[in-house]
Amino acid sequence: QVRLVQSGGAFMQAGESVTISCVGTGVSGAIFETSDMGWYRQAPGNQRELVATITSGGNTNYADSAKGRFTISRDNPKRTVHLQMNSLKPEDTAVYYCNLRALDYWGQGTQVTVSS
């Protein structure tokens, strides 16, 4: 009943930018707006890694690979979290997952493919 629904996949060229989104459904606005959110990614053969987090107050944190290129943001009235990815690199190719951290809810994943 509680779901995190992510936007569709993207096929990009190196150097381009894309934004992916995650919408919370079946969850109250109060719960969503007080929950820290995160984006993870997993490439084939690799472990899932944390890319970015945003607290209920809007404080952000990024993996070293994402700093300076990626931006996590949230729109609480729309129960939505975004990940803007600039200056894409082939090594950014992965399935990206949205996560509501305290309750451990996960989105279904978004495939982002970056070609050189």
Side-chain angles (χ1 to χ4, degrees), residues 27-72:
V27 60
S28 72
I31 291 176
F32 187 89
E33 71 181 15
T34 58
S35 297
D36 295 351
M37 303 293 296
W39 284 99
Y40 291 73
R41 69 184 181 187
Q42 187 167 21
N46 291 357
Q47 294 189 76
R48 187 171 298 185
E49 62 176 340
L50 181 62
V51 176
T53 60
I54 184 167
T55 69
S56 61
N59 295 317
T60 59
N61 205 323
Y62 299 92
D64 287 342
S65 60
K67 288 180 180 177
R69 298 190 300 124
F70 292 6
T71 302
I72 186 172

